[in-house]
């Protein structure tokens, strides 16, 4: 098994709104290999039972994570900050994540709309990008993306050092809006930067973002993109990344959310792509990227994923 996928070609049909899928979205690592650094090979891998337990352990961080450290207190590198975990009280989620760590997160494409300077605009150097709540644009616009509330937490673990939490590492996360469109790129959204933000991992290696449930567009299973940087200083200068991957959202949550008003286009698009046919998750059904999710469409969802690097 490898940690990278060979993406399938996106669908080329037109949906009922007259929209084609993004023409080159998530074409694979070849598209944006220049944004990636060489990563360690896949660690010792679980049997099927172990993998299932690992997925079950990805309890959403909304109720368990420690608030992220403000950017002004960033220490610079993960190696300099991991020592902080010795005095931190590990949550049950973190304890289980460390115990079941071993498989590195699959390496994926960042797609053509990363906003990290590798393909056009660069939001990472903009003042205001370091934030937990990414629902609104910042800077010259305050437009808010509407949709079902979603809070997601990533727990970062260092596979090369006994799966200790990657305290002080940074995560840049981004995703499409409820209509499947990306700020900074899609027509009418070029001057918006909502649904993009950076967080620094706390002493437990956790980052949490407040957002909305992304929509479904043709050719892709609903997902959230993220890049992991060694430190906040690397993230905010669009420096070299440790990992690039994606979070897959669950079938049950997607079905419930897309039945809600405002997600009509997603309701039509979602049944046309499965995890197995998705051009990113299709190689293994997203087993190592499928979030654990709780909540409801009426009250909002929380999602969590262990990210072993």
């Amino acid at each position: 098994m490898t940690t990278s996928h060979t993406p399938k070609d996106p669908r080329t049909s037109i949906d009922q709104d007259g929209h084609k899928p993004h023409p080159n979205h998530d074409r694979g690592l070849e598209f944006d290999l220049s944004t990636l650094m060489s990563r360690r090979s896949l660690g010792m891998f679980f049997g099927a039972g172990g993998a299932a337990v690992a997925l079950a352990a990805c309890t959403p961080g909304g109720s368990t994570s420690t608030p992220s450290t403000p950017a002004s207190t960033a220490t610079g590198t993960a190696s300099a900050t991991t020592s902080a975990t010795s005095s931190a009280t590990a949550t049950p989620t973190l304890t289980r994540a460390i115990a079941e760590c071993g498989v590195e997160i699959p390496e994926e494409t960042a797609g053509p709309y990363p906003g990290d300077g590798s393909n056009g605009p660069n939001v990472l150097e903009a003042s205001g990008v370091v934030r937990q709540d990414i629902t609104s644009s910042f800077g010259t616009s305050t437009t808010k993306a509407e949709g079902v509330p979603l809070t997601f937490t990533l727990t970062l673990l260092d596979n090369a050092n006994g799966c200790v939490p990657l305290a002080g590492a940074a995560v840049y996360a981004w995703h499409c809006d409820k209509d499947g469109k990306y700020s900074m790129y899609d027509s009418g959204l070029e001057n918006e930067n909502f649904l993009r933000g950076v967080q620094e991992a706390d002493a437990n290696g956790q980052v949490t973002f407040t957002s909305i449930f992304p929509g479904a567009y043709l050719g892709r299973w609903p997902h959230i993109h993220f890049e992991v940087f060694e430190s906040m200083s690397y993230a905010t200068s669009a420096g070299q990344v440790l990992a690039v991957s994606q979070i897959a959202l669950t079938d049950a949550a997607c079905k419930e959310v897309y039945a809600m008003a405002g997600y009509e286009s997603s309701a039509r698009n979602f049944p046309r792509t499965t995890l197995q046919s998705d051009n990113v998750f299709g190689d293994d059904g997203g087993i190592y990227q499928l979030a654990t999710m709780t909540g409801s469409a009426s009250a909002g969802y929380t999602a969590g994923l262990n990210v072993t690097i």
Side-chain angles (χ1 to χ4, degrees):
M1 176 178 178
T2 64
T3 57
S4 40
H5 294 310
T6 303
K8 303 174 180 66
D9 289 335
R11 296 177 185 268
T12 56
S13 56
I14 300 175
D15 67 14
Q16 294 183 24
D17 296 320
H19 297 141
K20 290 184 179 181
H22 293 298
N24 57 359
H25 194 276
D26 298 343
R27 294 191 304 184
L29 293 179
E30 293 79 7
F31 182 83
D32 58 348
L33 189 59
S34 61
T35 68
L36 306 177
M37 64 176 289
S38 297
R39 299 178 62 221
R40 293 180 293 272
S41 59
L42 182 69
M44 184 177 299
F45 117 27
F46 297 120
V53 173
L55 288 173
C58 298
T59 305
S63 61
T64 60
S65 64
T66 305
S68 298
T69 306
S72 60
T73 62
T75 57
T77 65
S79 60
T81 55
T82 48
S83 59
T85 61
S86 60
S87 59
T89 300
T91 66
T93 300
L94 177 62
T95 300
R96 293 181 64 184
I98 293 173
E100 294 154 359
C101 174
V103 177
E104 292 184 5
I105 192 75
E107 188 176 272
E108 306 290 9
T109 174
Y113 309 112
D116 62 1
S118 63
N119 184 34
N122 187 356
V123 74
L124 296 180
E125 295 180 344
S127 176
V129 71
V130 180
R131 57 195 184 138
Q132 183 179 62
D133 189 334
I134 62 174
T135 54
S136 299
S137 289
F138 61 91
T140 60
S141 173
T142 58
T143 301
K144 184 175 182 179
E146 300 295 334
V148 171
L150 172 67
T151 299
F152 60 95
T153 295
L154 301 179
T155 301
L156 311 179
L157 302 172
D158 186 351
N159 194 45
N161 291 299
C163 289
V164 297
L166 276 171
V171 172
Y172 167 45
W174 72 98
H175 62 82
C176 68
D177 65 12
K178 63 182 177 62
D179 298 314
K181 299 184 181 299
Y182 285 84
S183 67
M184 305 178 73
Y185 292 91
D186 273 303
S187 178
L189 301 179
E190 297 91 338
N191 297 320
E192 304 292 350
N193 51 28
F194 51 63
L195 307 181
R196 299 177 184 273
V198 173
Q199 280 282 293
E200 183 182 27
D202 63 17
N204 291 321
Q206 293 180 319
V207 296
T208 297
F209 293 91
T210 300
S211 191
I212 64 163
F213 206 101
Y217 52 87
L218 293 178
R220 284 307 319 274
W221 183 266
H223 61 282
I224 299 170
H225 293 268
F226 65 92
E227 295 176 342
V228 181
F229 297 83
E230 185 177 5
S231 67
M232 186 67 81
S233 61
Y234 277 114
T236 54
S237 63
Q240 213 168 38
V241 297
L242 295 179
V244 179
S245 197
Q246 300 178 26
I247 306 169
L249 304 181
T250 64
D251 179 78
C254 290
K255 286 178 177 176
E256 185 182 9
V257 170
Y258 297 157
M260 301 289 285
Y263 283 92
E264 287 81 6
S265 64
S266 295
R268 291 189 290 270
N269 292 330
F270 179 63
R272 302 173 69 176
T273 305
T274 67
L275 272 169
Q276 289 68 37
S277 67
D278 181 75
N279 62 16
V280 170
F281 302 126
D283 285 1
D284 59 10
I287 186 172
Y288 300 114
Q289 294 152 283
L290 188 63
T292 293
M293 303 188 69
T294 61
S296 66
S298 58
Y301 274 93
T302 59
L305 183 70
N306 296 340
V307 180
T308 302
I309 299 171

